[in-house]
Amino acid sequence: MPKVSKVKRGVAAIKHITGTKPLKLRQGTNNVTKIVTKLRKEYKVHACPVSAAGAKKYMRNQFEYFGLTAPKRRAIDKQVIASLPSLGAEDIWDLMQLLWQQEERECQHFAIDYAIKYRSILSCDADTCIQSTDVIKGLLTAKSWWDTVDALTPDLVGYFVTKYPQQMIPVMDQWINNDNMWLRRVAILHQLKYKDDTDKERLFRYCVLRGHEKEFFIKKAIGWALRSYFRHNRPAVMEFVKKNESRRTPFSIKEALKHA
């Protein structure tokens, strides 16, 4: 079979993450399965049914929980990660996907924290970054809620865009018009930590594109993104809000100018 160049593989992956071509993902390896088994074992030792019930109720009964506090979970995660062998990008993809299949929400948060910690491996070159984005897209659109979506957005997707803007900005341009609401939210929020390096034209363009939406999580995202940039470019945000006031919902305007 002839070899496929990294460039061609990258193009194929870009077509998938912009919504034009499906890409089959790998199944988890045996080593990855052992990692998940070990993690679950440690979580179960410290599980608290009362806290689990409270967390489940808070998240509208959408997910199961072990009932771990955030500090306890992070302490367990640190211990488990310290015992793990070094993983390459493909193993991290497998690990994230397998963790996403677990019922308890803490497993998804381990996947996110691990991916952020080793994001340089997930983006070691443009081709790997595009394939990592494809995996993350699958996670963003499965078991979707604000806790995982917002955790994946600035520190992974946003990081990837800064590292490979030529490949990744077209992906964001596609996601802002995607039928999936969570991908639209990611596109709006991916620059959240860019501060003075924010591409204001892209931010404002995305806000205009989605300014008509009634969806709470989109309105909230617009207000949040503008409020964050307001701290670094007050005149630009004030001018944008004034110019587009008729297109914004009162909620988005209030959120954007909360610290005005």
Side-chain angles (χ1 to χ4, degrees):
M1 179 180 293
K3 292 184 178 180
V4 180
S5 69
K6 283 191 173 183
V7 173
K8 289 183 178 179
R9 290 201 308 273
V11 169
I14 289 174
K15 286 182 178 179
H16 172 62
I17 57 180
T18 56
T20 60
K21 184 177 180 180
L23 184 65
K24 185 176 181 181
L25 299 177
R26 289 162 18 103
Q27 297 298 313
T29 63
N30 187 48
N31 285 338
V32 166
T33 301
K34 290 179 180 179
I35 292 171
V36 174
T37 299
K38 180 175 183 177
L39 180 69
R40 289 184 58 83
K41 182 179 179 180
E42 292 297 324
Y43 281 173
K44 286 180 180 178
V45 170
H46 300 279
C48 175
V50 174
S51 297
K56 182 177 180 178
K57 182 178 180 180
Y58 177 71
M59 297 300 267
R60 300 185 181 181
N61 297 310
Q62 297 181 91
F63 314 108
E64 299 296 330
Y65 284 85
F66 286 104
L68 305 173
T69 64
K72 172 60 70 174
R73 178 183 66 80
R74 293 193 180 102
I76 295 171
D77 293 353
K78 184 177 181 180
Q79 180 182 12
V80 171
I81 289 173
S83 68
L84 298 182
S86 298
L87 300 179
E90 291 186 346
D91 285 329
I92 297 175
W93 300 337
D94 292 342
L95 178 62
M96 294 180 75
Q97 291 176 94
L98 186 56
L99 286 164
W100 229 259
Q101 294 171 18
Q102 308 306 303
E103 290 187 357
E104 295 84 2
R105 199 61 163 172
E106 289 92 343
C107 293
Q108 281 92 68
H109 286 287
F110 178 94
I112 294 168
D113 291 348
Y114 190 89
I116 292 172
K117 181 177 178 66
Y118 295 105
R119 63 187 184 179
S120 61
I121 296 174
L122 293 173
S123 58
C124 59
D125 56 53
D127 182 50
T128 302
C129 183
I130 287 297
Q131 292 181 69
S132 294
T133 304
D134 179 67
V135 173
I136 292 168
K137 179 190 176 186
L139 308 185
L140 288 166
T141 54
K143 297 186 177 180
S144 309
W145 200 236
W146 60 265
D147 61 326
T148 52
V149 171
D150 294 353
L152 286 165
T153 297
D155 291 319
L156 273 179
V157 177
Y159 173 80
F160 291 165
V161 175
T162 61
K163 198 167 183 180
Y164 299 104
Q166 184 176 356
Q167 291 84 0
M168 290 297 299
I169 290 175
V171 175
M172 295 299 98
D173 286 345
Q174 291 286 337
W175 284 11
I176 193 62
N177 290 309
N178 196 281
D179 289 340
N180 186 284
M181 178 269 292
W182 296 108
L183 292 181
R184 300 197 300 275
R185 181 176 170 91
V186 172
I188 294 167
L189 293 175
H190 78 274
Q191 298 191 82
L192 205 57
K193 294 188 176 180
Y194 287 12
K195 299 181 179 180
D196 291 330
D197 293 327
T198 298
D199 182 334
K200 65 180 181 180
E201 284 76 19
R202 184 160 82 248
L203 170 62
F204 294 159
R205 177 164 54 88
Y206 286 2
C207 290
V208 168
L209 282 171
R210 306 319 324 169
H212 65 281
E213 289 203 38
K214 304 299 183 183
E215 168 59 54
F216 170 80
F217 286 107
I218 295 300
K219 293 190 295 181
K220 186 75 171 179
I222 291 172
W224 187 7
L226 292 174
R227 184 173 72 251
S228 178
Y229 188 48
F230 180 87
R231 299 187 181 99
H232 306 282
N233 195 338
R234 178 189 179 111
V237 174
M238 293 293 289
E239 181 183 357
F240 172 78
V241 170
K242 183 177 180 179
K243 181 179 179 181
N244 296 275
E245 191 169 2
S246 62
R247 302 181 186 181
R248 305 274 76 74
T249 65
F251 179 82
S252 293
I253 294 173
K254 181 180 178 181
E255 286 290 307
L257 302 181
K258 182 178 289 187
H259 303 302

